[in-house]
Amino acid sequence: MRLSRFHLSTSKETPADAEIVSHQLMLRTGMIRKLAAGIYTWSPLGLRVLRKVEAVVREEMNAAGAIEVLMPSIQPQELWEETDRWAKFGGQLLKIRDRKDGAFCYGPTHEEVITDFARNELKSYKQLPLNFYQIQTKFRDEIRPRFGVMRAREFLMKDAYSFHLSEDDLAREYENMKAAYTRIFTRLGLAFRAVQADSGAIGGDASQEFHVLAESGEDALAFSTGSDYAANVETAQAAAPGPRPAAAETLRKVDTPTQKTCEEVAALMGIPLQRTVKSVAVIGEDGFVLALVRGDHSVNEIKLAKVAGLTEYRPAGEAEILEHLGSEPGFLGPLGAKKPIRVVADREVAAMADFVVGANEAGYHLAGVNWGRDLAEPDVVADIRSVLAGDRAADGGEIKLARGIEVGHVFQLGQKYAKAMGATVLDEQGKSQVMHMGCYGIGVSRIVAAAIEQNFDDRGICWPEPMAPWRVAICVINPKNDAAVNQVVEQLYADLQAAGVDVLWDDRGLRPGPMFADMELIGIPHRIVVSERGVQAGTFEYRSRRAEAAEALSREDVWQRLGLG
């Protein structure tokens, strides 16, 4: 590609409204242009990168046995009502009406559409298993679109859906897709982790997220130094605590006139924060609940919602707390409640002895508290806290925390959608069986931004080679329009193309400074400079995008650096 025949529009200035590096650099390189909040035009440069990602995704999905389809982006209300998601999906669902006043939505996902397709197309177990995928634009009406294409309202996604007669076959395909995703992100040259995750609004029996590791990542990840265990902090677990020690202290009341937090109480008493217990009051389906976690821990909202009766809970109000515990917040505890309450204790708290809790009386806490002696055993013991860096992992290793950007998600949906929509096939005995489903998504446009967050420096983007808009840039310094220089450039360009290299020839006639700055900004992995001095010496000036300095190399050495033999 000759750059003089391509549209490239770069900028030295960092846009004021771009908060993260990927957004800044995608605007500075001209990869994207904003049309409306969370909606972007992809320029020719940006589209080249997007198509590189899309090609790898398509190749690996095909290799894994999935079959490509293309479903409508506009979906009728009736389908979403069958799964009870028309109302439940919330404000992200962009609802529209046609001229006949029919209700539709712009698809944020395609479980309903593909299940409708399957129930009409698949009749026998002999047609299974099948995995259909598409690469298509989605729309989710984010309440606060930000970070460019990282959290856009309109985005490009690969979504796949598999259909099976049995749970075992679904589990097999789930592993097949996990392996395909691993190949995709490895081929794209990204540092990533696959982590256990919560299924969220999609639902299902099991799920795993794929995260590109980056300091700017919105998601906190936990992983063990002892194995390949990794999970989103929403679901990550530390090792179970050991047996509860025997009581060694007597119950006593401690004057804490202004100390309301566990940190303040521990400091006043001169004890480790780990000896205190934090009481969090919530209202669940069955009424008032007191959730207990160690003073140095925090309640994990996702885990707490998995406790029976707390699927949909909310914080208790001050009036409700006063009614049940007789105290203001800051001095709450499980002893001496005015009304019967349900106590859900984190398993670390259930294994504690001689701990400190609020006395349900303003200005006081209780010390030397012990289960069984001073208060009844908790109604529920569960893992309801978020892990911390340094926790012991179940495999004996240490829990470490990192930041990640979610770019892929695989779900075992089970029969959730197939049952709701009557998607059945006849089994070997001729009996009607509800199909089992899997769902496998990749944020194609999000990968582009995530890759930049992981690969940049103060000069611009440092693309992994498989994602770069071009692999090699030829830059020409020829102010005298020397015929020998032009001949060398023409031959080099032709030879690289013949070798199958995606090459860009910067023939705009710019001075070296601006020309090199553009090539570094847009992140071309290899730069070859042809100049009169180099031609006379029989060398090229070669520089890898990640190198600190350029080198004078022969044609053979340049070919070797490019892996061309």
Side-chain angles (χ1 to χ4, degrees):
M1 171 68 68
R2 289 175 179 260
L3 192 49
S4 62
R5 301 175 186 173
F6 188 81
H7 174 72
L8 181 67
S9 178
T10 62
S11 171
K12 294 181 181 179
E13 302 301 322
T14 299
D17 62 341
E19 301 175 67
I20 60 174
V21 169
S22 60
H23 192 193
Q24 294 167 0
L25 289 175
M26 290 183 81
L27 290 173
R28 285 189 57 205
T29 56
M31 289 178 63
I32 58 172
R33 290 291 182 251
K34 181 179 176 180
L35 179 65
I39 302 174
Y40 293 88
T41 296
W42 287 76
S43 75
L45 178 69
L47 189 61
R48 286 186 69 88
V49 179
L50 194 65
R51 292 293 184 244
K52 294 283 182 77
V53 176
E54 186 178 325
V56 171
V57 171
R58 180 173 280 109
E59 287 170 12
E60 291 297 339
M61 290 300 294
N62 291 343
I67 306 168
E68 189 167 7
V69 297
L70 184 60
M71 292 176 274
S73 58
I74 304 300
Q75 305 176 18
Q77 174 182 349
E78 290 78 9
L79 281 185
W80 283 71
E81 286 183 333
E82 287 188 55
T83 59
D84 201 29
R85 290 210 297 175
W86 183 256
K88 284 187 176 181
F89 205 86
Q92 287 191 341
L93 194 64
L94 180 63
K95 300 175 181 179
I96 54 180
R97 290 189 175 272
D98 65 11
R99 67 178 65 196
K100 297 180 180 179
D101 204 34
F104 295 83
C105 67
Y106 195 119
T109 184
H110 276 70
E111 284 81 11
E112 284 80 2
V113 177
I114 196 64
T115 306
D116 178 69
F117 178 79
R119 69 181 173 185
N120 290 308
E121 295 288 323
L122 307 179
K123 304 300 180 185
S124 168
Y125 75 95
K126 294 180 180 179
Q127 295 172 275
L128 302 179
L130 280 174
N131 188 336
F132 300 109
Y133 81 95
Q134 65 173 349
I135 299 176
Q136 191 223 46
T137 300
K138 300 283 195 293
F139 190 95
R140 296 181 185 176
D141 199 4
E142 292 274 358
I143 191 169
R144 189 187 167 206
R146 53 186 178 148
F147 305 152
V149 300
M150 189 76 76
R151 189 168 289 282
R153 293 195 293 167
E154 184 181 81
F155 53 94
L156 188 66
M157 182 179 179
K158 187 283 300 176
D159 48 325
Y161 309 89
S162 63
F163 295 86
H164 310 269
L165 189 64
S166 68
E167 290 183 10
D168 288 344
D169 195 56
L170 168 58
R172 175 202 58 76
E173 184 63 10
Y174 182 78
E175 294 301 321
N176 180 40
M177 285 293 100
K178 283 167 57 179
Y181 276 33
T182 298
R183 292 193 298 272
I184 288 168
F185 298 122
T186 300
R187 279 187 60 185
L188 290 173
L190 299 172
F192 69 95
R193 274 191 176 271
V195 303
Q196 297 175 11
D198 183 71
S199 296
I202 302 297
D205 304 323
S207 72
Q208 196 162 40
E209 295 172 351
F210 287 78
H211 288 258
V212 169
L213 301 181
E215 288 299 319
S216 59
E218 290 185 282
D219 295 300
L221 312 178
F223 61 93
S224 172
T225 59
S227 69
D228 61 356
Y229 172 78
N232 194 299
V233 167
E234 293 175 344
T235 61
Q237 290 189 343
R244 182 191 298 165
E249 298 180 6
T250 57
L251 180 67
R252 60 194 185 279
K253 198 173 186 178
V254 179
D255 187 6
T256 55
T258 61
Q259 289 75 21
K260 294 186 176 183
T261 68
C262 289
E263 289 81 2
E264 291 170 340
V265 171
L268 177 70
M269 297 179 63
I271 61 173
L273 184 58
Q274 293 87 337
R275 294 269 309 276
T276 66
V277 170
K278 188 183 304 178
S279 301
V280 179
V282 300
I283 304 296
E285 293 93 324
D286 301 325
F288 193 95
V289 174
L290 203 61
L292 306 180
V293 293
R294 213 169 67 186
D296 59 328
H297 292 160
S298 60
V299 171
N300 184 308
E301 295 179 0
I302 300 295
K303 291 181 179 180
L304 186 60
K306 292 184 182 297
V307 174
L310 291 175
T311 304
E312 296 183 4
Y313 72 88
R314 61 172 175 81
E318 289 194 19
E320 292 166 318
I321 291 172
L322 188 62
E323 177 187 357
H324 288 83
L325 299 178
S327 175
E328 64 181 83
F331 304 97
L332 307 184
L335 279 77
K338 292 179 64 177
K339 284 188 173 183
I341 63 171
R342 186 175 178 222
V343 175
V344 176
D346 180 70
R347 56 186 185 172
E348 294 277 355
V349 173
M352 290 174 69
D354 302 325
F355 52 90
V356 177
V357 296
N360 287 325
E361 182 180 349
Y364 293 96
H365 281 72
L366 297 174
V369 179
N370 284 274
W371 296 106
R373 186 194 71 182
D374 306 313
L375 74 165
E377 295 290 339
D379 298 292
V380 177
V381 175
D383 175 20
I384 61 169
R385 61 104 171 179
S386 296
V387 297
L388 298 174
D391 282 341
R392 185 171 58 87
D395 56 27
E398 182 182 344
I399 294 289
K400 298 283 189 180
L401 300 182
R403 306 298 302 182
I405 300 167
E406 184 189 344
V407 291
H409 208 155
V410 292
F411 301 88
Q412 287 190 44
L413 293 177
Q415 296 179 314
K416 174 183 172 73
Y417 295 93
K419 186 176 290 184
M421 298 183 67
T424 64
V425 294
L426 298 179
D427 63 15
E428 293 184 47
Q429 287 74 43
K431 294 182 179 179
S432 181
Q433 298 287 347
V434 176
M435 289 182 282
H436 297 262
M437 290 177 59
C439 173
Y440 321 97
I442 285 181
V444 177
S445 51
R446 198 172 215 226
I447 286 174
V448 177
I452 295 172
E453 291 294 330
Q454 191 180 85
N455 298 277
F456 71 93
D457 60 19
D458 59 357
R459 301 192 303 274
I461 303 170
C462 304
W463 289 117
E465 288 199 22
M467 295 180 62
W470 296 275
R471 187 174 175 224
V472 175
I474 299 175
C475 295
V476 186
I477 302 175
N478 192 18
K480 300 177 183 178
N481 198 25
D482 188 315
V485 173
N486 292 334
Q487 184 178 356
V488 170
V489 173
E490 291 275 5
Q491 190 62 52
L492 177 63
Y493 182 62
D495 290 347
L496 286 170
Q497 286 187 315
V501 176
D502 203 359
V503 56
L504 176 69
W505 176 358
D506 192 343
D507 60 346
R508 296 174 296 171
L510 298 184
R511 290 180 294 104
M515 178 167 51
F516 295 165
D518 271 353
M519 295 305 101
E520 291 179 330
L521 178 63
I522 66 176
I524 309 302
H526 305 275
R527 187 182 79 200
I528 303 172
V529 178
V530 183
S531 66
E532 183 179 352
R533 180 185 301 177
V535 169
Q536 291 174 353
T539 61
F540 298 105
E541 182 184 288
Y542 166 82
R543 184 173 179 179
S544 166
R545 176 62 182 82
R546 298 178 186 271
E548 291 299 320
E551 306 170 82
L553 301 177
S554 67
R555 181 188 184 282
E556 291 72 22
D557 288 340
V558 169
W559 245 240
Q560 188 174 20
R561 294 295 176 89
L562 298 177
L564 301 177

